[in-house]
Amino acid sequence: QVQLVESGGGLVQAGGSLRLSCAASGLTFSSYVMGWFRQAPGKEREFVAWISRSGISTYYAESVKGRFTISRDNAKNTMYVQMNSLKPEDTAVYYCAARPYSSGSIYPNEWHYWGQGTQVTVSS
């Protein structure tokens, strides 16, 4: 059974930083492209970033480019996102996702597995 478990969310002031983790089990982690999405209240789930199976390639939403850094440790079956210079508009539930292909996607319905999410709240 595939499980993706996010952690690291919390409350932070604008300009602050957080690092989210996504621990995976039940799948061959290195065979999956991994991604982060987020969903704010009343809004649709939106793409944040994805990272290739090897970790060499990454892709970011324009809204987080230069502030967020996605990474993965295949030996630990874990993916991360370092979030710096946080803004109130980054407030959302953050989800990790996995798909067994060679590239990522910005569309939530093209991802196979999802975590339960972790809340990130940025105060102004």
Side-chain angles (χ1 to χ4, degrees):
Q1 181 179 355
V2 175
Q3 279 196 311
L4 302 177
V5 180
E6 303 94 336
S7 62
L11 174 64
V12 63
Q13 288 189 331
S17 298
L18 281 175
R19 188 176 84 150
L20 306 183
S21 300
C22 171
S25 60
L27 75 170
T28 304
F29 185 70
S30 59
S31 296
Y32 284 75
V33 174
M34 299 296 296
W36 288 100
F37 287 76
R38 65 187 182 186
Q39 189 167 17
K43 295 189 176 181
E44 294 187 349
R45 193 167 297 191
E46 67 171 2
F47 167 74
V48 174
W50 63 257
I51 187 167
S52 65
R53 294 176 294 190
S54 66
I56 291 176
S57 298
T58 57
Y59 186 75
Y60 296 91
E62 284 298 321
S63 59
V64 306
K65 196 175 292 185
R67 300 187 298 121
F68 290 14
T69 302
I70 190 172
S71 62
R72 66 189 294 163
D73 185 338
N74 286 347
K76 295 182 178 180
N77 289 357
T78 303
M79 174 183 63
Y80 308 95
V81 62
Q82 176 67 42
M83 306 186 296
N84 298 329
S85 303
L86 283 162
K87 305 175 182 180
E89 51 264 43
D90 294 318
T91 295
V93 177
Y94 283 71
Y95 298 90
C96 68
R99 64 186 245 127
Y101 301 118
S102 60
S103 65
S105 170
I106 65 171
Y107 302 107
N109 63 359
E110 294 183 355
W111 292 78
H112 286 218
Y113 300 111
W114 291 89
Q116 83 290 345
T118 186
Q119 176 71 47
V120 171
T121 303
V122 184
S123 63
S124 56

